[in-house]
Amino acid sequence: MAFKYINPGYAELLSVKDGATVIGEQYSKTGVSFWQPTYYKGLNLSEVPPELYGRFDMYIKDTEQGGNAKLSFAIGGYKIIEAEKFWSTWKIRGSNNNEMLAVGDAVRVKEICSVWFHIKPGENGNGVFHALIDEREVCNMSNAYVGYLTNSDAKTIAILTNNDDILISNLILSDEEISPREQVITLPVKETQTNMTDCGDGSYEATAANQEILQSVDVAALSAKYGTDSRVTGISLIGNPAYRTAEGLCALTAIEKSGGNITEYGRHIVEQNPTSVVMDARSASMTIAELTGQQFGWRAGT
């Protein structure tokens, strides 16, 4: 299957429209985070993943108004991670709530907390459930019951935060291994090349098919912060907002230019809603230094 989903913290990038994006660096390393209150909804996949890796950041505000706050990640009826306040005590549980991962003061509130997990199906005492919180291992089982493959909802990763007292950001999901240290960062732009119309507010408007926008990365700035040898394990292009502006134009195709050659990736139909967002994500394997000379962007089409 081989999928990789990368979301800095936009509710609009989920497969359900009931969530909300929250702006604020106090809640997220990326500056954006979301909450999503609809049960059994989240991210729709084209196939059932044979196993699932995930990492995300969460911020628990722990306000009096958020007393019934709850976070849940699940697939096919199998509850991967849940965080909830019972009376006055926060608890984080995993593996269908059979394993207590953190409780009480071990659950960080009013600060950003990172969670990593790996699950692999097994219904005969051979399933895998592995979890880390803030890079500390809290559970590692190879004899768990992990049964989701035949469930009718196994193509949906359910992501729930029933109010804005718990916010999610820095979300990466994949059916291939991801490191607990992976995180989503915004690439600083060095230069923009486009034949689209510059709207003067950081946005660009395509008025004809095959118009393109390509942006190069400020590798020097990125290297100064993370080091030239740091690994790039995935690339996500986000158009925010991205919506139809001309009759006949309805799609954006993610493109990458390197050494004069342009490679096309996913084609995405855009909506007419002015607040719509599109994203194209894929796995990658390179260093920050190897981003030099690369350009990333979109091509408008019908």
Side-chain angles (χ1 to χ4, degrees):
M1 180 181 175
F3 85 95
K4 191 158 193 174
Y5 174 81
I6 304 169
N7 185 344
Y10 292 106
E12 294 84 358
L13 296 179
L14 299 173
S15 305
V16 57
K17 302 300 184 183
D18 298 331
T21 299
V22 177
I23 307 297
E25 293 185 356
Q26 70 270 39
Y27 303 129
S28 164
K29 297 174 185 176
T30 62
V32 290
S33 52
F34 69 83
W35 58 284
Q36 194 295 107
T38 305
Y39 280 80
Y40 314 116
K41 301 293 184 181
L43 178 65
N44 296 336
L45 305 176
S46 60
E47 301 176 34
V48 178
E51 57 187 311
L52 183 64
Y53 290 84
R55 67 90 56 222
F56 62 92
D57 288 345
M58 67 176 177
Y59 187 98
I60 300 176
K61 296 180 183 178
D62 198 32
T63 63
E64 292 183 7
Q65 293 79 10
N68 64 339
K70 179 179 181 179
L71 172 144
S72 177
F73 276 73
I75 182 170
Y78 175 81
K79 298 174 183 177
I80 306 169
I81 299 284
E82 285 201 346
E84 194 171 8
K85 195 172 187 178
F86 293 86
W87 298 100
S88 59
T89 303
W90 280 99
K91 296 181 180 180
I92 301 177
R93 298 176 295 177
S95 190
N96 257 349
N97 289 341
N98 291 321
E99 300 297 322
M100 186 66 69
L101 307 182
V103 62
D105 293 341
V107 180
R108 295 166 60 187
V109 299
K110 295 183 173 64
E111 56 184 308
I112 299 169
C113 168
S114 67
V115 178
W116 175 95
F117 64 81
H118 170 218
I119 62 170
K120 188 173 183 178
E123 299 184 8
N124 297 304
N126 59 344
V128 171
F129 177 81
H130 191 189
L132 282 73
I133 297 178
D134 293 323
E135 298 190 22
R136 178 177 62 87
E137 187 174 80
V138 291
C139 189
N140 190 358
M141 302 172 61
S142 57
N143 60 348
Y145 177 89
V146 183
Y148 68 80
L149 287 178
T150 58
N151 190 286
S152 59
D153 293 325
K155 291 183 182 179
T156 297
I157 301 174
I159 303 170
L160 170 79
T161 49
N162 61 351
N163 61 41
D164 67 353
D165 208 57
I166 304 181
L167 299 173
I168 296 173
S169 62
N170 216 333
L171 173 61
I172 305 173
L173 298 166
S174 180
D175 57 353
E176 298 180 336
E177 184 176 1
I178 62 175
S179 166
R181 301 189 66 185
E182 286 189 38
Q183 58 179 310
V184 182
I185 62 171
T186 301
L187 298 179
V189 174
K190 181 179 181 180
E191 186 179 16
T192 299
Q193 295 180 349
T194 184
N195 52 5
M196 296 181 182
T197 301
D198 187 344
C199 298
D201 58 357
S203 64
Y204 296 83
E205 181 178 1
T207 56
N210 296 318
Q211 287 185 331
E212 297 177 350
I213 180 170
L214 286 164
Q215 295 180 313
S216 59
V217 178
D218 189 339
V219 175
L222 206 59
S223 298
K225 189 171 183 179
Y226 298 102
T228 56
D229 294 330
S230 291
R231 301 295 302 176
V232 178
T233 58
I235 294 174
S236 177
L237 301 181
I238 297 175
N240 181 24
Y243 58 97
R244 300 183 192 183
T245 59
E247 186 175 350
L249 293 180
C250 65
L252 286 171
T253 299
I255 56 175
E256 177 182 326
K257 186 175 183 180
S258 178
N261 298 317
I262 292 182
T263 303
E264 293 187 357
Y265 290 94
R267 178 178 178 272
H268 305 269
I269 301 298
V270 296
E271 302 177 4
Q272 292 180 313
N273 183 352
T275 62
S276 295
V277 179
V278 296
M279 177 183 71
D280 186 85
R282 61 186 182 274
S283 296
S285 181
M286 65 179 76
T287 63
I288 285 178
E290 290 175 313
L291 288 171
T292 302
Q294 303 266 51
Q295 292 177 293
F296 306 93
W298 300 96
R299 176 185 294 140
T302 56

